[in-house]
Amino acid sequence: ILEDEDIAQGIQLHLLEIGKTGYIRAQDIVDYIAKPEVQEQLAGKSRTTIHHRTACRWLKKLNWRYTRKKNGMYVDGHEREDVIQYRNEFIARWKEYDKRFLKFDNDGNQTNQLVGFPVAQIGRFRIILVTHDESTFYANDRRKIKWIHPSQTAVAEPKGEGQSVMASEFCVPEWGRLCDGEENARVMFRAGKNRDGWFTSEDLLLQVDNAIDVFEGRVPFATGLFLFDNAPSHQKRAPDALSARKLPKNPHATWRQHKDGPRMRTTMFKLGDQTVTQDFYFPDDHPTMPGWFKGMENVIRER
């Protein structure tokens, strides 16, 4: 079975995808071979299933080794040309924003006066900075080092961190938490499989919508400048965005980049002096595969 290049490559890609976020086991190969689509590829072969010990041998043949994971090396990309260009553009924009901030010292005293000039947002010259961050707290959070008297006896404490709660919050330099009377923008999230699930970009967008309403209610005379860090949950592609991940090689009737999601959008490429539009799906009136995903092989051949 492993002599089939398509099967071997499929196993490698499957293991590499698991290895990005998890722990690879020999059982992963057994489960992969048992998939219906792989079984179709194996039709006609003398064997279509494998044992766990066979999977262990295959791991070695595929050049996987059971060893201690090494730490990666930090690569400083601060001096890349595109990073420098982005940084310079950001600094230039920030200098323009800075002219529209009220500033305060450590005692809360205002240290500057705003001098107006024409801006795009008519009537909203002043900018107020609104920053966002998330913190996770655990049930068994406690001090590890503290003052202890010799007469005190050790007390058994719970193992592990315990259940968690995440606070997602917006803050403003001038008055602290983003709130307007009883209304506030904080979200308390109990992460976990059998709890609130996982905090995603969709959850953040809902919170931001509410935060904007709270901000507008309190300061209708100013523009809010919302700042976020680059956390994974803050990154979001459009549902139909182009992506080369997990594309099947052959045509597929129901394949989508996301479960129950839309088709990937069309793209364009250069063919000589012409710009050609390419659709990743066969037309709906195709005689044998109406609306099917074309498969990577056909997509590449069209180019």
Side-chain angles (χ1 to χ4, degrees):
I1 296 174
L2 202 59
E3 292 177 357
D4 187 317
E5 291 185 1
D6 290 338
I7 298 292
Q9 185 180 23
I11 294 172
Q12 285 281 31
L13 293 175
H14 179 67
L15 295 176
L16 288 170
E17 192 65 31
I18 294 174
K20 290 179 181 178
T21 57
Y23 178 82
I24 294 171
R25 308 165 302 154
Q27 185 64 36
D28 293 323
I29 298 182
V30 178
D31 296 339
Y32 177 81
I33 294 296
K35 287 184 175 182
E37 57 268 28
V38 179
Q39 288 293 303
E40 289 181 11
Q41 292 180 265
L42 296 176
K45 294 185 180 293
S46 58
R47 291 185 58 187
T48 58
T49 60
I50 63 170
H51 192 272
H52 183 272
R53 283 176 292 183
T54 303
C56 291
R57 291 195 297 270
W58 283 13
L59 279 168
K60 291 185 178 180
K61 286 186 177 181
L62 292 170
N63 210 28
W64 292 85
R65 297 293 181 268
Y66 193 80
T67 184
R68 184 181 296 277
K69 183 180 178 181
K70 297 179 181 179
N71 290 329
M73 182 181 295
Y74 174 74
V75 178
D76 184 1
H78 293 167
E79 301 307 317
R80 284 198 341 239
E81 185 177 342
D82 60 322
V83 175
I84 294 174
Q85 180 182 353
Y86 174 84
R87 186 164 65 235
N88 290 337
E89 292 174 358
F90 176 84
I91 292 172
R93 177 176 291 189
W94 188 264
K95 286 181 178 179
E96 294 301 315
Y97 290 149
D98 189 70
K99 300 173 185 177
R100 299 163 61 186
F101 288 142
L102 282 181
K103 300 175 184 177
F104 303 85
D105 60 23
N106 292 336
D107 296 323
N109 302 312
Q110 185 176 326
T111 60
N112 70 321
Q113 295 292 331
L114 296 182
V115 179
F117 54 85
V119 294
Q121 296 90 348
I122 298 175
R124 291 195 175 192
F125 174 81
R126 182 178 167 190
I127 287 179
I128 295 179
L129 190 64
V130 184
T131 58
H132 171 268
D133 207 352
E134 299 146 356
S135 292
T136 300
F137 306 91
Y138 293 89
N140 298 333
D141 280 344
R142 55 186 178 269
R143 291 179 180 271
K144 305 296 183 182
I145 301 176
K146 56 185 178 181
W147 292 102
I148 300 176
H149 193 270
S151 63
Q152 290 180 292
T153 57
V155 178
E157 295 179 333
K159 293 182 178 180
E161 296 177 324
Q163 291 191 331
S164 66
V165 60
M166 186 196 77
S168 180
E169 180 72 285
F170 291 88
C171 291
V172 180
E174 297 181 34
W175 67 80
R177 293 180 54 218
L178 178 56
C179 59
D180 181 19
E182 295 296 320
E183 293 187 70
N184 68 81
R186 174 186 289 176
V187 167
M188 303 300 291
F189 195 87
R190 291 164 177 79
K193 185 176 180 180
N194 298 317
R195 305 177 79 203
D196 295 338
W198 310 107
F199 196 75
T200 65
S201 55
E202 287 80 8
D203 296 307
L204 179 63
L205 289 174
L206 290 173
Q207 185 186 9
V208 171
D209 285 340
N210 179 54
I212 292 173
D213 292 339
V214 173
F215 180 87
E216 296 280 354
R218 177 153 181 172
V219 282
F221 53 82
T223 298
L225 178 62
F226 286 72
L227 265 66
F228 301 85
D229 61 12
N230 195 29
S233 61
H234 302 168
Q235 302 168 9
K236 174 67 176 176
R237 286 172 171 264
D240 64 344
L242 300 178
S243 175
R245 297 184 63 191
K246 302 180 182 179
L247 299 183
K249 175 185 175 182
N250 300 314
H252 197 287
T254 60
W255 184 86
R256 297 288 188 274
Q257 188 68 242
H258 305 283
K259 185 179 180 181
D260 300 324
R263 296 179 177 183
M264 282 200 301
R265 67 184 66 164
T266 58
T267 187
M268 293 182 292
F269 63 93
K270 284 286 188 179
L271 188 62
D273 296 331
Q274 294 183 332
T275 299
V276 180
T277 300
Q278 184 180 37
D279 197 327
F280 292 98
Y281 298 83
F282 289 115
D284 292 332
D285 58 355
H286 192 278
T288 57
M289 293 178 283
W292 285 34
F293 177 73
K294 293 178 179 179
M296 274 303 297
E297 183 175 347
N298 288 322
V299 169
I300 293 172
R301 288 184 184 279
E302 288 179 353
R303 289 172 173 254

